[in-house]
Amino acid sequence: MREQQSAVRFTRVSMQFSGVLANDNVTLDIHSGEVFALVGENGAGKSTLMNILYGLHTPTAGDVYVRGKRVERYSPAGAITMGVGMVHQHFMLVPSFTVAQNIVLSREPKRRGLLYDFKKAEETVHALVNEYGLSVDPGARVSQLGLGLQQRVEILKTLHRGADILILDEPTAVLTPQETDDLFAVIRRIVQEKGMTVILITHKLYEVMALSDRVGVMRGGRLVGLEETKNVNERMLASMMTGSEMPPGQFAREGSAGDTAVEVLGLQTLNDRGLPAVKGVSFSIRRGEILGVAGIEGNGQSELVEAIAGLRPLRGGEVRIRGQRINGLLPGEIRGLGLAHVPEDRRLTGASLQADVTDNLLAGRQREKRFAVGRIHRKRGAARQYAEKLFRAFDIRGAGVDAPAGSLSGGNLQKVVVAREFSFDAPVFLISQPTRGVDIGAARSIHQSIVDKRNAGAAVLLVSADLDEVFQLSDRIITMYEGRITGEFTAGSIEKAEIGYYMTGDRIARHHSGEEAL
């Protein structure tokens, strides 16, 4: 057996932010040519540790070595020079640029020494696409791509810069099972054939088991476990992450579905570029039922939810909530009919980042008598007490309810949005990407809250790029591709591997309700 060479070594690394110890004396050796998974709950310190490796932070104490060479100066440019690349969970692309322009950015090919060589850029990217098998059109504008394709662009950009140590942050969050398999094949190929080192940050423990050679577990800023993947299982890892035994993954289903609460009939709407995004979609949701929507992002799910919530005008069809036609109503009027909405983008539409946590948790209730005098003047004590109650109930972690919402981590900001919306006793819930970027313990808590709402008689429309989430929670599932419904299935009637074909349009099923096949 050949001796393992070190690709990255952290030696007694600590990182402190404003009194918070994000990394606490971490010592870790990552081997060359391995897939190393790093797992832990939100706030465990895994992203901070990887951001140090990528040069975004300078550690408060300790040293980092790349291929035995000590890092002297921390910066992304320095990391790239040393062959370290990182694909972040929130993509860092220029929307108005083409795929090729984004990939060669800062390394643009020139002709006659001055002019940008568009042809050479596209040829370079074509060669890169063919080499790594990550298919994407070099001439397409990034603004026109779904998140799955944008992720491919990020990976290709990193590879183009010469990275042979690749950090992937939640890389499969927007992929179908088939695309996930393809990505895994690419990762295995670049590790086996090119000797690259891949560091995988993920909340999906089955991915750790399927792909990694070794796994490190972080909790409270410390490295609490380091194991060969073959020696552990998902429950062991979950318990190491949380510090306690995790309960079984299934949720109790109580009661039966009641009357129809939501009717969507021939809904049509446009995307932000004025092109058809939802093309005649029809379905219904009954009280006490979760309808899951599965599809690759960018196939009309976002526009569908926004149209139902009143955030996007309908161009055809109609929507009824509890028998009330909502066409032409304002978002506030639709909420008044009994609708709660967890939007997919917590930073853009889910929260006000400049406002404090209290204001965000109170949004929608700020004019209630218990929180305001004359619907104008805030009762600060009552508002703060209410916010602190939700803060504790949903285990939101941060500087407190007086801190700006933008200071929270992504997972904790998501908890703020979920806590606010779930505090409403609404009969209808629109929920998009409820646990994106949320750790395993918090994700289970959110899942239980969704099931509790369903069990209490709410009608829930659940849109998620996480197929495990859709399968675990849904009573029925519809698949969407290019703005149309391609299949409808009851829970347990189809496997995850098979449903991917409906998500990509390779198969189309007739609606069980007898509607015309698409």
Side-chain angles (χ1 to χ4, degrees), residues 42 89 170 172-177 180 203-207 234 249-251 253 289-295 297 301 342-344 346 411 414-415 418 422 430-451 454 460-478 491-492 494-496 499 503:
N42 288 114
Q89 190 173 351
E170 300 288 351
T172 66
V174 295
L175 304 183
T176 66
T180 296
H203 289 105
K204 299 178 180 179
L205 295 184
Y206 74 86
E207 294 180 0
E234 292 184 33
Q250 297 302 313
F251 296 94
R253 298 181 181 274
E289 180 182 45
I290 298 173
L291 176 66
V293 181
E297 291 195 42
Q301 308 96 305
V342 177
E344 70 173 71
R346 56 192 172 231
Q414 182 72 5
K415 292 181 191 178
V418 170
F422 280 30
L430 302 183
I431 302 176
S432 295
Q433 316 299 347
T435 60
R436 175 173 287 167
V438 173
D439 60 59
I440 189 170
R444 179 170 178 83
S445 176
I446 291 172
H447 288 168
Q448 185 64 63
S449 296
I450 293 172
V451 171
R454 190 280 312 276
V460 180
L461 180 66
L462 171 68
V463 177
S464 177
D466 185 344
L467 270 184
D468 284 328
E469 189 164 68
V470 172
F471 270 73
Q472 192 174 24
L473 300 179
S474 302
D475 300 299
R476 287 187 298 125
I477 299 170
I478 58 174
I494 189 170
E495 299 293 329
K496 280 185 290 184
I499 207 168
M503 293 165 60

Side-chain angles (χ1 to χ4, degrees), residues 97-115:
F97 282 13
T98 66
V99 168
Q101 288 171 322
N102 270 280
I103 290 174
V104 303
L105 189 63
S106 79
R107 298 190 176 194
E108 297 88 345
K110 303 288 176 60
R111 52 188 175 90
R112 293 197 292 273
L114 294 173
L115 301 176

Side-chain angles (χ1 to χ4, degrees), residues 374-512:
R375 299 172 58 88
I376 297 175
H377 300 291
R378 171 72 58 84
K379 294 180 180 178
R380 296 190 178 278
R384 198 176 197 281
Q385 185 178 18
Y386 175 79
E388 287 177 340
K389 179 181 177 181
L390 289 181
F391 199 85
R392 291 190 299 270
F394 283 81
D395 192 27
I396 302 167
R397 302 176 188 181
V401 297
D402 297 324
S407 69
L408 300 179
S409 68
N412 282 295
L413 183 61
Q414 182 72 5
K415 292 181 191 178
V416 169
V417 177
V418 170
R420 180 189 67 228
E421 295 302 311
F422 280 30
S423 68
F424 291 97
D425 188 22
V428 177
F429 284 81
L430 302 183
I431 302 176
S432 295
Q433 316 299 347
T435 60
R436 175 173 287 167
V438 173
D439 60 59
I440 189 170
R444 179 170 178 83
S445 176
I446 291 172
H447 288 168
Q448 185 64 63
S449 296
I450 293 172
V451 171
D452 288 345
K453 289 294 184 184
R454 190 280 312 276
N455 289 345
V460 180
L461 180 66
L462 171 68
V463 177
S464 177
D466 185 344
L467 270 184
D468 284 328
E469 189 164 68
V470 172
F471 270 73
Q472 192 174 24
L473 300 179
S474 302
D475 300 299
R476 287 187 298 125
I477 299 170
I478 58 174
T479 52
M480 287 189 67
Y481 175 70
E482 292 189 345
R484 294 184 170 89
I485 294 177
T486 55
E488 179 182 339
F489 313 94
T490 57
S493 67
I494 189 170
E495 299 293 329
K496 280 185 290 184
E498 185 181 0
I499 207 168
Y501 294 111
Y502 293 89
M503 293 165 60
T504 55
D506 289 341
R507 297 180 189 170
I508 299 176
R510 183 177 297 275
H511 284 275
H512 293 183

